[in-house]
Amino acid sequence: MNAFVAILRRDLRLALRQGADSVMVVAFFIVTTTLFPFGVGPEANILARIASGVIWVAALLAAMLSLERVFQTDYEDGTLELLTLSPVPLELLVLGKVCAHWLTTGLPLIIAAPVMAVMLNMDQDGFGTLMIAMLIGTPALSLIGAIGAALILGARRGGVLVSLLVLPLYIPVLIFGAGAVEAALLGISAQAQLQIMGAILLLSLAAAPFATAHAIRQAVE
Amino acid sequence: MTVFTGSDLTCLRGERLVFGDLSFNANTGDAVMLRGRNGAGKSSLLRLMAGLMAPRRGTIRWQGDDIADDKIAHRARLHYLGHQDAIKPVLSVRDNLRLWAELRGISDIDAEIDQALRALDIHHLGKTAGRYLSSGQKRRTALARILLGQSDLWLLDEPTVGLDRESCAELARLIAEFRARGGIVIYSTHVDLDIAAPTILDLDQFAIPMMEWLVEQDDEEDTRESLSPDMNQGKSAEAAI
């Protein structure tokens, strides 16, 4: 457990010193969402109709953009090699790094989401569900994304590759995340969608650290 | 009984056979110097010893136990210094070292770091951010890492790169102290490091041409199955020549 805290603290400290990364993810999220009213026109009804989908797609893309840096810099400067040689399970270290990634990207996105919802004229009834759905969904995005981030280590043009690997895996989170908000807007219970998202989160929590650690071991070999 | 042994080691990198049938022995307090031309497999051997890679064939043992059986225990007893210094530019020297101390479960972290920094004469740089360090100072910080915590085995891959003459002498002194405590040091270097009576392991002796190795493999029915098809192609191409 100490190892988990140690790596989490170091990654948060790094993120704090290089604050631009985190801010950029949120800025990207806001800019992408803002593009939609320009594209589809400022008709309030249409925007309200597409709001939940737009917010989720933008959040997915923003989370994906930040994936490359999860392991890449550690891989390049030799830190990853030393982490795999530490006398602690690599899976635990991976979990610590993913947790740091979520705190620096997922959490700011959750905070920014309601603001974007207001801009897209989403009905107030959906706000609570949107935030709960993102609270369950974004950790899953970080966990699933970590597998992709570890797989592209050592590959050239990794950024493009990671999107091809990870975005298809994000689709279930998108479907049920947007579905939950839609349900809330229609006034019916979103419990089913949220429970499925919870299942996705638990499944990725169980599998992703092992898959990621395995990919990292391959990369540093 | 010898403490750290490797027997019948064959190392394959990609499709290239780096060395074969290599064996080594090291007892407490020993220093083993790896020698060989570029690409002879000095780094590969050190990575095999660290458990970063698995040998194609052969086993590495610590006090009789295969290191692959309990990797965590093996990692706890070794310190590895690779080509890269793993220094984060935005973190101070102390914060850089702190992670490694924490991961090794050291109780009195600050005291350990102080001691390591003093031993390498970089105590005054403790609060300096990594990006302001010279390459020699970065290397010294990386060396300070291997002084943290208890260890029985140092695997040093070109530890002298970027170090000036005084630092090399300092390193030789640290290695001598470590050996006096019963530690085993295995290192590769291109400069003369003043180390008393090292065992010399010349990797050039263990280089085998691919062709010969494949013929030998052909005799071993079971291992032949696992060979990749492109290597068999490589063999027929060579045979055609």
Side-chain angles (χ1 to χ4, degrees):
Chain A
M1 214 54 209
N2 283 338
F4 174 81
V5 177
I7 192 85
L8 175 65
R9 199 160 34 178
R10 194 217 49 164
D11 268 25
L12 287 180
R13 193 177 285 154
L14 275 177
L16 207 67
R17 302 272 165 89
Q18 304 164 321
D21 287 347
S22 215
V23 175
M24 236 131 56
V25 170
V26 179
F28 177 86
F29 175 64
I30 293 171
V31 170
T32 336
T33 322
T34 317
L35 288 179
F36 280 85
F38 292 116
V40 297
E43 173 110 28
N45 288 338
I46 296 176
L47 288 179
R49 176 73 196 81
I50 61 170
S52 63
V54 167
I55 288 173
W56 268 103
V57 170
L60 244 58
L61 294 176
M64 189 208 71
L65 265 192
S66 61
L67 283 176
E68 206 186 344
R69 70 157 203 267
V70 182
F71 299 115
Q72 192 67 34
T73 50
D74 278 350
Y75 175 72
E76 281 163 6
D77 70 11
T79 305
L80 207 54
E81 195 172 85
L82 292 176
L83 286 178
T84 61
L85 281 177
S86 300
V88 283
L90 186 56
E91 289 78 8
L92 197 64
L93 297 177
V94 165
L95 209 55
K97 285 188 81 69
V98 171
C99 199
H101 176 259
W102 179 74
L103 286 172
T104 53
T105 62
L107 207 55
L109 288 182
I110 296 174
I111 295 164
V115 183
M116 292 296 103
V118 171
M119 196 190 76
L120 294 173
N121 194 35
M122 186 197 270
D123 197 88
Q124 278 184 15
D125 298 344
F127 286 14
T129 313
L130 174 67
M131 288 187 81
I132 294 170
M134 286 192 82
L135 202 60
I136 306 172
T138 47
L141 297 184
S142 292
L143 283 162
I144 298 168
I147 306 175
L151 281 172
I152 56 146
L153 290 174
R156 278 181 301 130
R157 319 277 307 146
V160 184
L161 196 57
V162 80
S163 59
L164 293 178
L165 283 172
V166 164
L167 281 180
L169 296 174
Y170 278 177
I171 291 173
V173 179
L174 172 65
I175 292 172
F176 293 105
V181 182
E182 287 296 307
L185 289 173
L186 289 172
I188 46 178
S189 166
Q191 202 186 1
Q193 284 90 339
L194 291 177
Q195 278 175 345
I196 293 176
M197 290 184 79
I200 295 172
L201 173 61
L202 290 178
L203 188 68
S204 47
L205 189 63
F210 293 96
T212 310
H214 196 75
I216 291 173
R217 283 194 204 98
Q218 290 288 316
V220 299
E221 186 170 87
Chain B
M1 189 175 80
T2 45
V3 178
F4 191 44
T5 59
S7 52
D8 192 29
L9 294 170
T10 299
C11 175
L12 203 61
R13 288 291 274 167
E15 282 167 19
R16 196 172 70 86
L17 187 67
V18 187
F19 53 73
D21 296 327
L22 183 147
S23 297
F24 68 88
N25 292 304
N27 260 317
T28 48
D30 276 0
V32 179
M33 178 180 163
L34 306 183
R35 214 163 56 181
R37 64 192 154 70
N38 289 338
K42 300 186 287 292
S43 296
S44 298
L45 181 56
L46 286 167
R47 293 170 76 85
L48 287 182
M49 288 171 173
L52 269 174
M53 307 193 296
R56 182 72 175 76
R57 208 168 56 181
T59 45
I60 301 176
R61 290 171 195 281
W62 182 272
Q63 289 179 338
D65 300 324
D66 192 335
I67 59 164
D69 290 343
D70 191 350
K71 283 190 172 161
I72 300 276
H74 187 59
R75 288 178 206 152
R77 70 173 76 97
L78 74 83
H79 264 305
Y80 172 82
L81 180 78
H83 292 253
Q84 291 161 310
D85 297 325
I87 308 281
K88 292 288 170 197
V90 291
L91 295 183
S92 69
V93 167
R94 268 176 178 281
D95 285 343
N96 265 298
L97 291 175
R98 186 175 302 271
L99 173 71
W100 308 118
E102 284 175 340
L103 291 184
R104 284 187 96 80
I106 293 169
S107 47
D108 196 355
I109 290 172
D110 283 310
E112 283 263 354
I113 292 178
D114 272 334
Q115 207 180 354
L117 291 177
R118 280 212 185 84
L120 282 145
D121 201 18
I122 47 171
H123 195 258
H124 58 290
L125 296 173
K127 291 197 173 102
T128 311
R131 79 183 96 150
Y132 301 123
L133 298 177
S134 73
S135 61
Q137 287 168 336
K138 277 186 189 155
R139 199 63 177 160
R140 285 200 210 189
T141 310
L143 281 167
R145 178 173 56 75
I146 66 171
L147 296 176
L148 298 173
Q150 283 290 316
S151 59
D152 302 314
L153 175 65
W154 282 0
L155 302 170
L156 312 178
D157 199 354
E158 303 274 359
T160 54
V161 170
L163 291 182
D164 56 23
R165 194 177 301 222
E166 286 82 43
S167 310
C168 285
E170 194 77 354
L171 174 62
R173 191 180 58 75
L174 289 171
I175 290 177
E177 277 175 15
F178 181 65
R179 289 173 69 188
R181 288 201 302 271
I184 299 173
V185 180
I186 300 174
Y187 65 101
S188 67
T189 177
H190 283 298
V191 297
D192 278 328
L193 206 52
D194 186 21
I195 286 170
T199 316
I200 290 171
L201 186 62
D202 191 349
L203 285 162
D204 288 337
Q205 289 173 3
F206 299 98
I208 339 172
M210 196 66 171
M211 193 59 212
E212 209 174 288
W213 186 69
L214 285 166
V215 170
E216 188 190 324
Q217 290 288 302
D218 268 347
D219 299 335
E220 296 174 27
E221 282 294 326
D222 51 344
T223 43
R224 192 175 56 173
E225 295 295 321
S226 60
L227 271 178
S228 71
D230 356 270
M231 280 174 44
N232 285 325
Q233 274 170 19
K235 178 189 143 197
S236 50
E238 273 190 60
I241 296 164

